[in-house]
Amino acid sequence: MPTSPKVAIPLKTTKDLDWEYPLQTYIRNAYGSSENFSKECQMFSRLRQDMMGAGKDPTGRDLLYKYYGQLELLDLRIPVEEGGCKVGFTWMDAFTHAETTQHSLAFEKASVLFNLASTNSHIAVETNDLKIAYKTFQAAAGIYTFVAENFLHAPSADLNRDTVRALASLMLAQAQEVFVERLLVEGTTKPNMLAKLAKSASLMYKTAGDGLSTAVSKGWGERDWVSLASVQQYYMDSVANHQQALLQSSKGKQGLAIAYLRSAISKGDAAMKSYLPSTYSAFIEILTAHHTQLTTSLTSMEKDNDFIYHDTIPAANSVIEIGQLEAAKPTQMSDLYVDQDITQLIGRDIFEKLIPVSVAEQSSMYSEEKAKVLRAEGEKVDVAEEELATALEYLGLPAALKTIRTLTHSFADDRVDEKVAQWAQTVQISGAVSFADIEQKKRDIYQLVERCERELEAEERESESMRSKLGHFWTQSPSVSLTTTLQSDLHSIKESLWTATTSDRKLQAQYAPVENDVRILAQGPNSPELASSFRSPGGISSLTKSLVDIELSDRDGNSGIAKPDTETVENLLKKLTKLKKERGLVFTELKEMIQEDDISSLLILNKKVPNIEEKLFKSELEKFLPYQKRIAATIYQQAVTLKELTAAWKAILDNPFIKERRAQLDSVDHRKDFTIERFKKAFENWSDVYHGKQKGVKFYNELLDFAKAMERNVQEFVDNRRDESRRILATLQERRGMM
């Protein structure tokens, strides 16, 4: 389907200028030297030259946007004006070609944006891709709209608010039409939606035509654009009515469909009768083809209605007005390159190292304020850490708590160590290691191999026996020439068995010394035999009896000795550790936040606001208050907790129960450590052997499967050979009968 002609807006032209000299002059006057920024000044000057030579294509569009982005960044650092960096910007009106010169950076930015929008319109007109055209027309509309809303005092007619708004309306109408054209080409959209979209396009062209008509009356723009917008308005209205007719026809409302179709023809006739410049002569062919399609459809539809449907045809002014659906929207400036990395397109801020003198001074003052905060909080943290370390060192904590905690619990020699219990549970679940199953698998594999070898030997004997009887009449190939691969595979199986057997013996040798201890572990963590391994040879030791006596007398109320409360001390130590960790994390977060905090951009944005420092500094430093309060809270809680810990620990050390029990542990600990090491070795060996055996089982299973497959192959080979023997013998017997 051919598309209707579209309008591309002419670009403004500009005179060359040298950014380098005024920039260097300003920097030298403001900072004392411009040598460090000579490359940046040259780069900025080249950037404008590149922009001037930009084509009306995507590359040119990106160059314009890059230059505009750098202008915005420059505006934050250098005052481009008569009293600052004085640059004369000369641009020619896009329509009247009148020359305008200004020293305002806003004029330069507005002119660049105008060309950016116009370049998008050229890309849309030149492309054959309707999706790209739709996107770039919307982009052009968005940029024109941005210019209208942000540059209020236009020094030239083409930048006037009414001008750019009219251009934005035209671009938006063309985007809407392109969207309709694409859907018509694809042919997958329902007529209901197409009718609404086309109707909106028609109304958009009316708005654009009104704006352009006003523009022409003021002496700018092209009168042909007004004529084209009017024709497009009628054409899109005709398309809308045609689609509405198709919709009604699909619903079986033939009379209503005919009414809409007649309206479509009426709108199409209006488009064809309107003045259309010769520039857009190709459009006449489109309109003619469209008119032919409509009249043909109307003739067919009226005939069907006369002979078949007999549906009443309503008057044109009585049909319901077609609804609207606007698909095209002006693209926001922030969304122009939504699918790309905008920072990569614009590049780094060319003058990012140039901080305005006033901003640098303010940043230095702010850095000192931040440093004061960090130093104060750092001193508080250091003092708190030192107080905590000194207090714990004096109390001997937490190292001494482990011994004290052991003494506060009654125990017997047969109590199984926790690690050993875990090992026993693991072994109990998986079971002790037995090699019987893999030995059986080996026997099964050997038997399969032997059967295969016997079958092959028997077949070979049979074949050779016939060869010896019949001589050269026996034409069957010798078996030995055909069984090489089979014999090789059988030999490979036997070699694998030999190698695996060697590995099995190593595992058995590793397992034998600890087999009895593994057997004990396999009974589980609660087995009497495991408990007896931790029991003294003479039964309950005198140590245990002594402890039991103490506890019994304590329960009877005769000893007057109370067991100390170690749980309180333990909880207090945990609390102190948590407070220390939290304080360290908070201070680290505060330090990182202060180091990364840079308000240069805020200072640059507010550099024209008088006496901003005090208010801005106070506001910015408040973001550190939550961290300061959290640090203060940990210091206060630490002091309270240390006081509680000192009292609780003193009560434990003064307890006679602890003093007596501390002297009675050494012999029990020694025996227990020895038993733990014994079962540790057993568990580690069991684990190695267990997993090694698992691998062995997997290996033998795979080897057994292979041996079974070999048996099938051998049987198939033998059966085939015997069938062949019978066929040869039958042939020989037939020949003898013929003789």
Side-chain angles (χ1 to χ4, degrees):
M1 172 186 171
T3 58
S4 65
K6 306 294 187 299
V7 172
I9 309 303
L11 275 65
K12 293 170 69 67
T13 56
T14 182
K15 287 186 177 181
D16 193 10
L17 67 85
D18 181 17
W19 266 107
E20 188 174 351
Y21 176 75
L23 284 172
Q24 287 186 338
T25 301
Y26 173 80
I27 294 172
R28 184 168 54 252
N29 293 337
Y31 298 92
S33 173
S34 62
E35 293 180 2
N36 293 335
F37 294 95
S38 59
K39 290 183 179 179
E40 285 81 355
C41 294
Q42 293 172 8
M43 188 183 304
F44 206 89
S45 189
R46 283 198 304 270
L47 190 59
R48 192 179 194 275
Q49 292 173 359
D50 292 342
M51 179 275 299
M52 289 177 60
K56 301 172 186 177
D57 53 27
T59 302
R61 175 195 60 194
D62 293 347
L63 284 173
L64 284 163
Y65 191 85
K66 180 176 183 180
Y67 179 58
Y68 170 75
Q70 289 295 336
L71 286 175
E72 289 284 12
L73 295 172
L74 180 71
D75 199 17
L76 297 174
R77 302 180 185 278
I78 297 177
V80 182
E81 55 194 14
E82 290 207 27
C85 179
K86 187 175 180 181
V87 183
F89 304 106
T90 301
W91 286 85
M92 273 61 75
D93 190 290
F95 307 105
T96 66
H97 307 295
E99 183 177 300
T100 303
T101 300
Q102 293 241 321
H103 298 289
S104 168
L105 189 63
F107 178 53
E108 177 82 345
K109 289 194 286 187
S111 299
V112 173
L113 285 176
F114 184 94
N115 278 3
L116 179 62
S118 300
T119 298
N120 272 289
S121 74
H122 281 273
I123 294 171
V125 169
E126 295 298 327
T127 185
N128 292 321
D129 189 325
L130 294 178
K131 289 184 179 179
I132 294 176
Y134 177 62
K135 179 179 179 182
T136 47
F137 273 135
Q138 290 181 102
I143 300 168
Y144 285 134
T145 302
F146 182 80
V147 173
E149 293 173 350
N150 291 275
F151 300 95
L152 306 181
H153 305 291
S156 60
D158 55 358
L159 295 178
N160 182 274
R161 180 181 294 185
D162 292 338
T163 304
V164 288
R165 279 180 174 170
L167 296 177
S169 297
L170 178 60
M171 295 299 107
L172 207 58
Q174 294 185 142
Q176 181 82 4
E177 183 185 7
V178 165
F179 189 68
V180 173
E181 289 174 336
R182 181 163 69 88
L183 295 182
L184 288 171
V185 169
E186 292 173 353
T188 58
T189 306
K190 294 181 179 179
N192 182 34
M193 181 176 290
L194 282 169
K196 293 178 180 180
L197 290 167
K199 186 65 177 180
S200 290
S202 175
L203 295 175
M204 287 179 177
Y205 268 118
K206 184 180 185 308
T207 301
D210 292 343
L212 292 171
S213 180
T214 302
V216 171
S217 67
K218 293 182 179 180
W220 70 265
E222 298 286 344
R223 188 173 299 276
D224 290 351
W225 296 351
V226 179
S227 301
L228 179 62
S230 176
V231 174
Q232 293 281 28
Q233 175 192 341
Y234 287 126
Y235 174 54
M236 282 290 102
D237 203 355
S238 176
V239 171
N241 279 274
H242 181 207
Q243 293 298 320
Q244 190 70 5
L246 295 177
L247 172 66
Q248 299 305 325
S249 178
S250 67
K251 294 180 178 179
K253 299 178 180 180
Q254 294 300 114
L256 193 55
I258 291 171
Y260 278 115
L261 195 53
R262 288 175 178 175
S263 179
I265 293 174
S266 175
K267 302 296 183 182
D269 288 342
M272 295 180 69
K273 292 176 182 178
S274 299
Y275 167 73
L276 192 63
S278 58
T279 311
Y280 307 115
S281 58
F283 198 7
I284 297 175
E285 297 180 8
I286 296 174
L287 294 173
T288 302
H290 176 65
H291 183 269
T292 301
Q293 180 188 10
L294 295 180
T295 53
T296 302
S297 297
L298 179 61
T299 301
S300 175
M301 203 174 284
E302 287 177 337
K303 182 178 179 181
D304 289 344
N305 191 54
D306 290 341
F307 288 99
I308 301 173
Y309 301 107
H310 307 294
D311 198 4
T312 302
I313 303 173
N317 58 2
S318 67
V319 297
I320 300 174
E321 184 71 18
I322 300 172
Q324 301 174 43
L325 180 61
E326 293 184 3
K329 306 288 183 183
T331 303
Q332 298 294 319
M333 287 290 293
S334 58
D335 296 332
L336 288 178
Y337 289 89
V338 69
D339 297 330
Q340 299 182 38
D341 184 356
I342 193 67
T343 56
Q344 185 176 1
L345 175 63
I346 296 175
R348 66 174 182 83
D349 184 350
I350 293 177
F351 291 97
E352 63 183 350
K353 297 179 182 178
L354 183 67
I355 304 297
V357 176
S358 59
V359 173
E361 293 173 352
Q362 292 170 327
S363 293
S364 179
M365 294 166 56
Y366 180 68
S367 295
E368 179 55 34
E369 294 300 316
K370 292 192 299 180
K372 289 178 183 178
V373 172
L374 190 61
R375 283 196 298 270
E377 297 307 312
E379 289 174 3
K380 293 177 185 177
V381 170
D382 290 341
V383 170
E385 299 293 302
E386 186 175 349
E387 289 178 351
L388 177 61
T390 301
L392 292 179
E393 183 180 4
Y394 174 76
L395 297 174
L397 295 171
L401 180 63
K402 182 178 179 180
T403 303
I404 296 299
R405 192 164 50 236
T406 304
L407 296 174
T408 59
H409 296 84
S410 62
F411 57 89
D413 291 339
D414 60 353
R415 186 177 58 181
V416 177
D417 178 75
E418 184 179 347
K419 292 191 296 294
V420 176
Q422 292 175 354
W423 299 335
Q425 187 172 14
T426 301
V427 176
Q428 184 184 33
I429 292 172
S430 299
V433 178
S434 172
F435 294 92
D437 53 342
I438 60 176
E439 291 297 329
Q440 181 60 48
K441 289 182 185 296
K442 284 194 286 187
R443 286 193 292 272
D444 293 342
I445 294 169
Y446 271 121
Q447 290 172 2
L448 283 172
V449 172
E450 288 176 352
R451 283 202 298 272
C452 289
E453 289 177 338
R454 286 197 299 272
E455 284 290 328
L456 290 174
E457 289 172 0
E459 187 281 326
E460 184 177 6
R461 284 195 302 271
E462 293 170 5
S463 178
E464 292 306 313
S465 173
M466 296 301 295
R467 193 184 313 280
S468 63
K469 292 178 181 179
L470 301 175
H472 66 277
F473 293 105
W474 188 251
T475 58
Q476 188 179 40
S477 301
S479 299
V480 69
S481 65
L482 302 175
T483 58
T484 304
T485 301
L486 294 174
Q487 294 290 358
S488 175
D489 288 343
L490 291 171
H491 180 70
S492 175
I493 292 174
K494 289 192 287 187
E495 283 190 341
S496 297
L497 281 172
W498 174 256
T499 303
T501 300
T502 303
S503 299
D504 294 343
R505 288 171 181 169
K506 290 180 180 179
L507 290 176
Q508 291 168 349
Q510 183 181 359
Y511 188 63
V514 298
E515 185 172 7
N516 187 56
D517 287 341
V518 171
R519 179 187 59 77
I520 296 173
L521 290 173
Q523 296 174 24
N526 300 318
S527 72
E529 190 170 2
L530 181 61
S532 68
S533 300
F534 285 85
R535 188 178 302 137
S536 300
I540 299 177
S541 67
S542 59
L543 170 61
T544 304
K545 290 178 180 179
S546 174
L547 297 177
V548 171
D549 290 342
I550 292 173
E551 292 173 3
L552 289 173
S553 63
D554 183 35
R555 285 198 297 270
D556 294 339
N558 298 327
S559 102
I561 299 176
K563 289 194 291 184
D565 183 12
T566 59
E567 185 176 353
T568 298
V569 173
E570 185 176 3
N571 290 336
L572 291 171
L573 283 172
K574 289 179 179 179
K575 185 176 180 181
L576 287 170
T577 301
K578 184 178 179 180
L579 288 170
K580 178 181 178 181
K581 183 178 180 181
E582 181 182 355
R583 184 167 53 246
L585 289 173
V586 173
F587 183 71
T588 299
E589 291 174 7
L590 174 63
K591 185 177 180 181
E592 291 175 353
M593 189 175 183
I594 287 177
Q595 290 174 344
E596 295 173 1
D597 185 37
D598 182 9
I599 64 168
S600 296
S601 58
L602 286 175
L603 292 169
I604 290 172
L605 291 173
N606 293 276
K607 65 181 179 180
K608 295 181 181 181
V609 181
N611 303 319
I612 190 64
E613 295 90 343
E614 183 178 354
K615 182 179 180 181
L616 185 60
F617 288 3
K618 182 180 179 181
S619 173
E620 288 300 309
L621 289 173
E622 285 179 355
K623 59 177 169 275
F624 305 128
L625 278 177
Y627 298 91
Q628 293 172 279
K629 290 180 180 179
R630 288 169 62 189
I631 290 173
T634 62
I635 294 173
Y636 172 76
Q637 289 296 324
Q638 176 178 291
V640 173
T641 307
L642 278 174
K643 186 176 180 180
E644 296 174 355
L645 178 65
T646 302
W649 185 243
K650 185 176 183 303
I652 288 177
L653 294 179
D654 292 342
N655 192 295
F657 180 79
I658 293 299
K659 293 179 180 179
E660 182 174 355
R661 298 191 78 170
R662 188 182 293 176
Q664 299 175 339
L665 284 174
D666 292 343
S667 62
V668 173
D669 288 344
H670 177 73
R671 174 173 177 77
K672 189 172 184 179
D673 290 343
F674 175 79
T675 305
I676 290 172
E677 280 299 314
R678 168 187 153 198
F679 283 111
K680 178 182 179 182
K681 180 181 179 181
F683 177 75
E684 289 176 347
N685 281 22
W686 169 84
S687 181
D688 292 343
V689 173
Y690 180 82
H691 291 100
K693 188 212 165 183
Q694 292 297 104
K695 293 179 182 178
V697 169
K698 180 181 178 183
F699 169 78
Y700 285 121
N701 285 336
E702 293 173 351
L703 193 61
L704 181 59
D705 291 340
F706 182 54
K708 290 178 179 178
M710 280 296 303
E711 184 181 31
R712 291 192 295 271
N713 293 340
V714 168
Q715 190 62 50
E716 182 180 0
F717 172 78
V718 170
D719 291 343
N720 290 339
R721 290 279 292 178
R722 285 171 177 164
D723 288 343
E724 183 184 14
S725 296
R726 284 191 288 271
R727 288 195 300 271
I728 294 172
L729 190 59
T731 300
L732 292 175
Q733 290 173 346
E734 183 179 350
R735 288 177 181 175
R736 288 179 181 176
M738 292 174 64
M739 292 179 183

